[in-house]
Amino acid sequence: GAVVSQHPSRVICKSGTSVKIECRSLDFQATTMFWYRQFPKQSLMLMATSNEGSKATYEQGVEKDKFLINHASLTLSTLTVTSAHPEDSSFYICSARDLRAGEKLFFGSGTQLSVL
Amino acid sequence: QQQVKQSPQSLIVQKGGISIINCAYENTAFDYFPWYQQFPGKGPALLIAIRPDVSEKKEGRFTISFNKSAKQFSLHIMDSQPGDSATYFCAASNGNSGYALNFGKGTSLLVTP
């Protein structure tokens, strides 16, 4: 299947700093990428849909000024958590559609963010 | 609001047994139903998926049963192995939303030796 690479896998930062997470589709072009958030032992919750060359669409309750998403190319989407606080600590996972594979979504390996 | 309801929350099965996880949905616009397997600290991996025009799909030890009228679908893992111990998520999506997935709450499966 298609490969989605997510980096970093783990990051620890101080409260008030910003953290950038990268999501790359390695062997396909992804016009659409999705960002999910997962708390321990809970389900994946969709945060936003990222479309190449246009503004991201955020789910209700997700602060777009806090979670900045940029999808500047067909293989890269970034999520920046701005002015991070301890309550932003979570597992963030990106996913992408490979149009050659139809409706299938492929996921990155996730980023564990810990805000001290 | 959880658009996909999943049960049970946890499941313990003996090696060689059958693991069964159930999901239900309300939105009839959903037209794609995948199952994902997730190990701790990893992203979910696609196991098997089905569309509503098919009642059953089998891939190896994994089978999806789909009941369109009841708006329910289930995952059967035959000959369960300790390596199958993981969290399983059902999901649903439709093309109108770019196939963004709505996940169930997950089932933690433990297969005992």
Side-chain angles (χ1 to χ4, degrees), chain A residues 38 44 93 106-108, chain B residues 36-38 42-46 89 103:
Chain A
Q38 185 177 32
L44 291 85
I93 316 172
F106 299 93
F107 284 80
Chain B
Y36 282 83
Q37 178 190 58
Q38 185 180 33
K42 301 295 183 183
L46 178 64
F89 292 95
F103 283 91

Side-chain angles (χ1 to χ4, degrees), chain B residues 2-109:
Chain B
Q2 200 80 27
Q3 295 200 51
V4 180
K5 296 182 179 180
Q6 183 172 347
S7 64
Q9 185 175 356
S10 62
L11 181 62
I12 300 176
V13 173
Q14 280 195 329
K15 178 181 176 181
I18 303 173
S19 304
I20 302 174
I21 305 171
N22 301 298
C23 283
Y25 64 98
E26 287 297 325
N27 187 348
T28 55
F30 288 145
D31 60 6
Y32 176 66
F33 303 89
W35 285 89
Y36 282 83
Q37 178 190 58
Q38 185 180 33
F39 292 103
K42 301 295 183 183
L46 178 64
L47 266 181
I48 187 172
I50 199 168
R51 282 193 162 272
D53 53 346
V54 177
S55 61
E56 185 175 282
K57 183 174 181 181
K58 182 176 180 179
E59 289 184 2
R61 295 186 294 113
F62 302 96
T63 300
I64 298 180
S65 297
F66 188 85
N67 186 328
K68 187 175 181 178
S69 60
K71 290 184 285 187
Q72 295 175 347
F73 58 110
S74 60
L75 175 70
H76 290 59
I77 305 175
M78 312 300 288
D79 187 27
S80 299
Q81 299 296 313
D84 296 331
S85 298
T87 301
Y88 292 81
F89 292 95
C90 62
S93 67
N94 70 76
N96 293 334
S97 63
Y99 291 106
L101 291 171
N102 299 276
F103 283 91
K105 287 192 172 183
T107 296
S108 178
L109 171 65

Side-chain angles (χ1 to χ4, degrees), chain A residues 64-89:
Chain A
K64 59 182 178 182
D65 293 330
K66 174 171 241 346
F67 299 101
L68 300 179
I69 292 173
N70 184 282
H71 194 158
S73 78
L74 287 172
T75 59
L76 174 64
S77 176
T78 60
L79 168 67
T80 301
V81 183
T82 62
S83 187
H85 288 92
E87 57 266 29
D88 298 325
S89 298

Side-chain angles (χ1 to χ4, degrees), chain A residues 4 8 24 50 58 97 99 111-112:
Chain A
V4 177
R24 294 180 184 275
S50 166
Y58 291 81
R97 276 186 66 205
L99 293 179
T111 297
Q112 181 63 52

